[in-house]
Each structure stands twice: as structure tokens, then as C-alpha cells.
Amino acid sequence: MTDERELDDGLAAFDQLGREMVETNRLLRAVRSDQAARNQQEHTLSVEMKAALKQATGASQKALQAAQTEIRSSLLWSGLTAFLIVLGAFGGGYFFGQRAGWDTGHADGYQKARNQEAAASWANTPAGQRAYGLDRQGNLDLLTMCRGNGWTTERRKGGTVCFPNADAKGNVTGWYLP
């Protein structure tokens, strides 16, 4: 009987082990089934995310192209506007500058003509002719600056006076007169 009892206990343990193995196999199948379902869900989600990403990328590229086109257009119009403003400024500056230059040129020309007329009138006087003769001989600068051998300047009564001085031998030098 002990053997039978041990046999019954062995069979019961074996039967228990079989039930546990069946349960373990059922749980493994359930886990595999759940894993397959999750894999399928992840695959579907991955495909959907790829499609959404592709759509978002395409939309952002279209938006970027539209923005670049708008920027180019804005730059073109800004550049054209700036060019027209500069052109207008140069045109206005030229017109007003030419007008002012024309008026100034007439005034300067008139003044120069008056000065030349006055110089010509003086040149025809005896003093003007003497100054011209001194200048042709190279003595006018020496005379006006009181430079030359034996000549000195002194300050007297608020002005400069030019005097001849005799050298050690008593000679006085001067300028050649015309």
C-alpha cells in the first residue's frame, strides 16, 4: 500500500505538473497573442506617424517656399522703391544744385569781370605800368617785401617802413626801374 500510495502521490504530482504546464502554455499563448497584437498596433501607429510626418514635412516645405517667394518679392519692391527714392533725390539735387550753381556762377562771373575791369583800368595808369615793368625785371617781389642787399624794415607809427642801408663801403643798392 505504501507503494500504491506513493504511486498515487506521484500520479497526483504528475497530474498537477501537467495542469501547471497546460496553464503555463495557455499563459504563454496569451502573452504571444498580446505581443502580436501590440506589434500590429505599433506597426499601424508607425505607418500613421510616418504618413503624418510626411504630410507635415510637405506642408512646411510649401510654407517655406511661399515665405521665400514673399521675401524675394518684398526685397524686389523694397529695392525698387529705394532705387526710385535715390533717383528722385539725385534728380532733385541735380536740379536745385544746378540752379544754385547757375546763380552762383553768374554772380562769380560778374564779380570776376568787375575785378578784371578794375585791374585793366589800373594797369593802364602810370603806376600800373611801372609795377608791370618792375615785375618783368623780377624786382616787384623784392620791392614789395623790402628784400634785397642793403634794405631793412622798421616798425614806425603802426606800419612797416622800408629803408636803404649803406654797406661798409658806403654803397647803397636798390632795384632796377623800368
Side-chain angles (χ1 to χ4, degrees), residues 32-165:
R32 286 183 186 144
S33 175
D34 286 347
Q35 185 66 39
R38 261 185 281 169
N39 286 346
Q40 182 61 36
Q41 287 175 345
E42 286 178 4
H43 177 70
T44 303
L45 184 60
S46 175
V47 168
E48 290 173 357
M49 288 184 71
K50 284 180 183 176
L53 182 61
K54 185 176 180 180
Q55 185 179 9
T57 302
S60 68
Q61 285 177 345
K62 286 180 184 177
L64 179 61
Q65 288 172 349
Q68 287 174 340
T69 301
E70 186 175 333
I71 289 170
R72 284 186 195 118
S73 177
S74 295
L75 287 175
L76 177 67
W77 282 109
S78 297
L80 183 59
T81 303
F83 175 73
L84 290 175
I85 289 170
V86 168
L87 187 63
F90 276 126
Y94 175 77
F95 175 75
F96 291 115
Q98 181 187 23
R99 190 78 194 144
W102 184 271
D103 294 342
T104 302
H106 279 200
D108 288 347
Y110 178 71
Q111 185 63 39
K112 285 179 183 176
R114 282 185 49 194
N115 290 345
Q116 288 176 353
E117 183 180 321
S121 294
W122 179 80
N124 289 324
T125 65
Q129 290 175 357
R130 282 192 303 274
Y132 179 69
L134 283 170
D135 189 46
R136 285 186 59 194
Q137 292 178 359
N139 294 323
L140 184 61
D141 285 338
L142 293 173
L143 178 65
T144 58
M145 293 186 290
C146 195
R147 300 262 166 110
N149 292 332
W151 290 84
T152 60
T153 57
E154 289 183 19
R155 299 277 302 159
R156 291 198 181 170
K157 296 183 184 179
T160 303
V161 181
C162 184
F163 291 104
N165 290 331

